[in-house]
Amino acid sequence: MAVSTVLTGARVVLPTGIVENGRVIVENGRIAGSAPAEAPTLDLSGHWLVPGFVDMHNHGGGGASFTSGTVDEILTGVRTHRLHGTTTVVASFVTGEMDFLSRRAGLLSELAEQGDIAGIHFEGPFISPCRKGAHDETLLRDPEPAEVRKLLDAARGQARMVTLATELPGGLDSVRLLAEHGVIAAIGHTDATYEQTRAAIDAGASVATHLYNAMPALGHRAPGPIAALLEDERITVELINDGTHLHPAALELAFHHAGPERVAFITDAMDAAGFGDGRYMLGPLEVEVKDSVARLVEGGSIAGSTLTLDRAFKRAATVDKLPVESVVQAISANPARLLGVYDRVGSLEAGKDADLVVLDAEFEVRGVMRKGEWLIEPQMI
């Protein structure tokens, strides 16, 4: 027997725009086109109803690391982000020994096959020592195609993205390899020139890993990768909108040049997201989180974030003054398309999974539904 719920009264954000006093029907875990007359109704007047968030670059949360945690710890991290509205999450690794990463990929591939995560992102070890950020320099290596292929094979079809410094030996060939296998080649932690970046895009790269961060700054004589990534319509740029990684003017510049259809908000979250300040490990490196900012104990480099996507959404809508429909594009639809799951998630359309978030007028999370089940049930006053 079909189980239906009708959500009414909210401002519903659809691909076609905002519908005032909208109506969304949930039936058997999916969004439906109609419901029985006797279906229960939940009045969400005064609230926003938006698709569940999709995070394509996330290293952990709730005190758990996707790189090194146990299965139970990984699931704790996933649940932490779900409670902040991220109903679809890709598990990102940091640099490690190849054998270690291969073993971890095998473990996480099982979670991906079960639907707990949406796949695996390898951020490292194929990155530039000049722009290593919070990665162990002793474990970095050139992106030789044979090495990249080892990780793809270990992931058993669940690799979704690999971040590369494409200017390194083997970089362009590895980009082509990834494109052939339907895996996103992301340009990041790179010291590439403008021209080298253009060559990587032509080879098949399609994402800029956390634009601006861990790459040369934009220069008027040496524009570097930032200009190449912003100007090319084939590239989607990741942005970490936590107020620490980016100045508001940098975010505005990215939106102006790339447009909302080419931006993906990410967290780049580490263990402390949704958990609190303290000492943590990011791969083999120790991190101190103070006032919600994560930095390496040795050297002081920013080490991921403690961001959750609900905070990124609120900041984008209130501080950055972006249109809500543009925020939804960047936080749900665009990453879902890139990951190849837009047929199931990323928008509130009939036939898709009932993954949705209820936000109040101040853009605070008041409800989260995943596959038709409330993880946080709205308590209307």
Side-chain angles (χ1 to χ4, degrees):
M1 181 177 178
V3 179
S4 302
T5 302
V6 182
L7 309 177
T8 64
R11 303 180 76 186
V12 180
V13 182
L14 301 176
T16 52
I18 296 172
V19 177
E20 302 287 345
N21 193 25
R23 188 168 184 263
V24 173
I25 299 161
V26 176
E27 184 175 282
N28 291 342
R30 295 186 180 274
I31 298 171
S34 61
E38 68 274 12
T41 298
L42 178 60
D43 184 3
L44 297 175
S45 297
H47 292 72
W48 293 89
L49 193 59
V50 301
F53 310 145
V54 180
D55 194 353
M56 57 189 283
H57 186 159
N58 185 318
H59 296 278
S65 165
F66 296 152
T67 300
S68 59
T70 65
V71 169
D72 286 345
E73 288 169 343
I74 292 166
L75 294 177
T76 294
V78 170
R79 179 167 176 77
T80 296
H81 285 281
R82 285 180 183 169
L83 294 176
H84 289 274
T86 300
T87 51
T88 301
V89 61
V90 170
S92 300
F93 289 149
V94 295
T95 294
E97 295 279 3
M98 287 290 290
D99 288 346
F100 171 78
L101 292 175
S102 294
R103 290 195 302 273
R104 295 297 297 178
L107 185 150
L108 264 72
S109 67
E110 295 181 13
L111 297 181
E113 289 159 3
Q114 294 167 192
D116 296 306
I117 60 174
I120 301 166
H121 165 215
F122 294 98
E123 187 182 18
F126 310 116
I127 61 176
S128 171
C130 301
R131 304 286 174 177
K132 64 182 184 297
H135 291 254
D136 187 341
E137 185 172 352
T138 65
L139 299 177
L140 302 182
R141 58 180 61 216
D142 290 338
E144 294 292 344
E147 297 286 84
V148 174
R149 183 62 187 264
K150 286 179 185 178
L151 295 186
L152 297 187
D153 289 345
R156 303 202 309 253
Q158 299 301 326
R160 296 289 172 264
M161 184 162 66
V162 178
T163 293
L164 307 162
T166 54
E167 75 278 9
L168 296 176
L172 295 184
D173 286 338
S174 287
V175 168
R176 296 184 188 102
L177 171 71
L178 293 169
E180 288 169 4
H181 285 78
V183 178
I184 297 166
I187 301 172
H189 288 275
T190 176
D191 203 40
T193 63
Y194 174 87
E195 292 76 16
Q196 288 171 327
T197 305
R198 294 283 304 167
I201 298 170
D202 288 339
S206 58
V207 166
T209 294
H210 44 52
L211 186 73
Y212 299 112
N213 299 112
M215 61 182 63
L218 183 66
H220 62 292
R221 292 193 183 93
I226 294 172
L229 295 164
L230 282 177
E231 72 183 12
D232 199 299
E233 294 184 356
R234 294 170 290 182
I235 291 291
T236 298
V237 298
E238 295 183 344
L239 297 176
I240 308 172
N241 194 23
D242 61 355
T244 298
H245 282 79
L246 297 176
H247 189 282
L251 182 134
E252 183 179 4
L253 179 70
F255 259 90
H256 176 75
H257 283 278
E261 66 278 0
R262 289 206 296 118
V263 171
F265 281 135
I266 61 161
T267 61
D268 194 19
M270 45 79 72
D271 311 21
F275 200 68
D277 289 358
R279 292 282 183 110
Y280 298 86
M281 298 301 294
L282 187 61
L285 303 179
E286 190 173 14
V287 175
E288 181 173 13
V289 178
K290 185 176 181 181
D291 298 327
S292 298
V293 177
R295 295 186 179 275
L296 291 182
V297 171
E298 186 176 337
S301 293
I302 293 177
S305 84
T306 62
L307 188 63
T308 49
L309 280 182
D310 57 333
R311 286 171 44 210
F313 194 116
K314 180 172 183 175
R315 182 178 178 86
T318 58
V319 176
D320 303 309
K321 307 295 185 185
L322 294 173
V324 172
E325 52 268 50
S326 295
V327 180
V328 169
Q329 268 190 281
I331 215 163
S332 299
N334 295 344
R337 284 194 184 95
L338 283 166
L339 295 171
V341 294
Y342 190 66
D343 60 325
R344 294 187 284 109
V345 300
S347 66
L348 300 178
E349 297 178 271
K352 292 192 175 185
D353 291 348
D355 288 6
L356 52 86
V357 181
V358 179
L359 303 169
D360 65 19
E362 286 73 45
F363 300 102
E364 295 287 344
V365 172
R366 297 302 178 197
V368 179
M369 176 182 283
R370 184 173 187 271
K371 296 184 184 298
E373 294 188 9
W374 288 112
L375 306 182
I376 299 177
E377 187 166 0
Q379 302 297 316
M380 299 296 110
I381 297 175

